[in-house]
Amino acid sequence: MTGAPRSDDNLAPALAASAIEILARLIAFDTTSSASNLALIDYVEAYLAEHGVAARRIANADGSKANLLATIGPAEARGLVLSGHTDVVPVAGQPWSRDPFTLAEHEGRLYGRGTADMKSFIALALAAVPYLTPRAMTRPVHLAFSYDEEIGCLGAPDLIDALVAEGHRPVAAIIGEPTEMAIINSHKGIHLYEVVVTGREAHSSLVHEGVSANMIAIGILSVLGRIAESERADHRDARFDPPWSTLTVGTIHGGTAANILARECRFTFDLRTVPDRDVDAVLAPFWAAVEDARTRLKDEGEETGVAVQVIAEVPPLRREEEGAAERLAAMLSEVAAPAGAVSYGAEAGQFQTAGMSTVICGPGSIVQAHRPDEYIEVAQIEAGARFMSRLIAMTHAE
Ligand SMILES: [Zn+2]
């Protein structure tokens, strides 16, 4: 980008008002990750079409969900990606004091599932669309809206591939997760695995007649416990909270009765790596334990074994030297604090891995995300609107 954007804060109030109207529509779609997001995509697609913007759907395998990609402005120039996920976390089991899918304003706050995480950023990006005049733009804006972020950033890879396959080489990607408009240049990597140990049933008194999947699993689980401790003790990165790579076993299901050698033990674990920590190095003892277990099971029959499946793999966002996205976001955001790091994972690492300079910067607070009575401060929408008004100016600058 050339030149500083002219200040155009006059536009911001209109943008904020329009964003809140759009947000009300977006919140009304229950896009919990387990459900389809297509009704929301229909709405966004129609809204863009109304403003003369063609969008492209990139559907999942069974067609029940879709990413949406749209480019506004001169496609041959290097532009800016504004990206957000359309899915939200479940409300089931949470004590909401209001309807999570009806936007409600109360004392300067807008309540609803997804207000903070992260439909407000999408609403702000959409509110900017009428002010993006393709013929007058010097840089394109790419809108990239994904599905299934909350269950392991599953939708973004195809979305990013489509963007790259269309020949775009964006100068920067801004992922609008809630940061209260602060700039985040690092996040941890996410690695989710499921392990299934299959043994052979027998009466519990006849341990030599079968093999307990639970007892095999305990060996592997204890290694995971040791990995968690050693990561905590070594390999620190002070920018993160907590400042180490975390590993936790989220679920364990094994066996059917106390007096039966368990046929199956199934568990999942979640590893969050600081950017400089190589996942293969962290998990080397785990893989050795899996190999060891397989060796022990070799003579126990063909049905026995240890299967390991990767559920999700999201690369970390690494701090860039002189990053274009960070420089750009600093011109658009009013938050003067130096760029920081977050421990939650996001799609930013995926965009960066595809070769785009990337930061996270969006309205709302992660503290209010995923909770009952999730909300965003109206002031955050207003800050986001000022960000977008500067972005509009920047993309039209000579
Ligand atoms: Zn999010």
Side-chain angles (χ1 to χ4, degrees):
M1 299 283 161
T2 52
R6 73 199 152 85
S7 168
D8 199 359
D9 286 356
N10 293 338
L11 192 56
L15 273 175
S18 163
I20 290 171
E21 271 174 41
I22 295 168
L23 180 62
R25 299 294 302 271
L26 298 179
I27 293 298
F29 298 108
D30 175 0
T31 53
T32 308
S33 310
S34 57
S36 169
N37 73 336
L38 293 181
L40 180 147
I41 295 295
D42 286 344
Y43 161 73
V44 175
E45 206 172 46
Y47 171 90
L48 290 172
E50 253 171 59
H51 295 285
V53 176
R56 177 178 162 200
R57 287 180 189 220
I58 299 107
N60 67 347
D62 67 13
S64 62
K65 299 173 186 178
N67 298 303
L68 199 69
L69 183 60
T71 295
I72 307 165
E76 64 288 354
R78 296 189 67 190
L80 254 176
V81 178
L82 300 179
S83 181
H85 61 82
T86 60
D87 60 321
V88 295
V89 294
V91 296
Q94 293 189 335
W96 281 73
S97 66
R98 53 188 84 232
D99 176 9
F101 301 109
T102 302
L103 188 73
E105 184 168 357
H106 183 66
E107 294 180 344
R109 295 172 171 179
L110 294 160
Y111 288 88
R113 171 56 87 224
T115 47
D117 188 11
M118 57 171 290
K119 289 177 171 174
S120 291
F121 183 78
I122 294 176
L124 283 159
L126 292 175
V129 167
Y131 302 98
L132 295 169
T133 312
R135 269 171 298 119
M137 291 170 78
T138 50
R139 302 282 183 185
V141 170
H142 307 284
L143 302 178
F145 303 143
S146 67
Y147 62 86
D148 281 358
E149 191 271 352
E150 295 289 3
I151 52 172
C153 301
L154 306 181
D158 285 349
L159 177 63
I160 295 165
D161 284 352
L163 180 68
V164 172
E166 285 180 2
H168 302 299
R169 291 197 314 116
V171 68
I174 294 170
I175 317 302
E177 290 283 347
T179 66
E180 297 181 285
M181 302 313 294
I183 299 164
I184 299 297
N185 63 14
S186 308
H187 70 64
K188 288 184 180 179
I190 309 175
H191 316 273
L192 299 182
Y193 291 79
E194 182 180 56
V195 182
V196 182
V197 180
T198 308
R200 205 175 61 249
E201 287 151 312
H203 191 280
S204 60
S205 65
L206 302 173
V207 291
H208 56 299
E209 294 290 324
V211 58
S212 164
N214 285 349
M215 298 304 278
I216 298 286
I218 285 170
I220 302 170
L221 287 162
S222 66
V223 169
L224 290 176
R226 285 200 292 278
I227 291 173
E229 283 165 24
S230 96
E231 289 304 310
R232 184 177 182 140
D234 311 314
H235 315 297
R236 294 202 164 222
D237 184 335
R239 294 176 304 144
F240 291 93
D241 176 26
W244 62 85
S245 302
T246 57
L247 189 156
T248 185
V249 175
T251 60
I252 305 178
H253 300 286
T256 53
N259 59 356
I260 302 175
L261 299 186
R263 194 182 69 79
E264 184 181 277
C265 183
R266 187 180 283 267
F267 60 90
T268 54
F269 69 91
D270 170 315
L271 169 66
R272 309 265 167 154
T273 49
V274 295
D276 291 338
R277 194 72 180 115
D278 176 50
V279 61
D280 293 334
V282 175
L283 289 181
F286 161 75
W287 289 112
V290 168
E291 268 323 298
D292 186 48
R294 284 173 176 156
T295 306
R296 282 172 61 196
L297 288 169
K298 219 164 61 191
D299 300 328
E300 296 288 348
E302 273 189 8
E303 71 273 28
T304 67
V306 182
V308 181
Q309 199 198 342
V310 179
I311 307 292
E313 187 93 79
V314 181
L317 177 66
R318 299 167 197 281
R319 179 171 46 189
E320 301 165 11
E321 292 297 329
E322 312 268 315
E326 190 174 327
R327 195 173 62 244
L328 220 126
M331 292 163 76
L332 299 174
S333 173
E334 294 154 359
V335 178
V342 291
S343 290
Y344 59 83
E347 295 165 337
Q350 295 170 314
F351 279 87
Q352 186 183 54
T353 301
M356 291 169 231
S357 176
T358 306
V359 290
I360 303 175
C361 180
S365 167
I366 194 72
V367 174
Q368 280 115 39
H370 297 205
R371 298 199 175 198
D373 292 341
E374 175 179 348
Y375 68 88
I376 187 167
E377 304 271 355
V378 172
Q380 281 293 303
I381 301 275
E382 290 164 354
R386 292 191 295 276
F387 178 100
M388 288 299 170
S389 77
R390 293 188 198 104
L391 182 135
I392 292 163
M394 177 186 276
T395 53
H396 291 71
E398 285 309 311

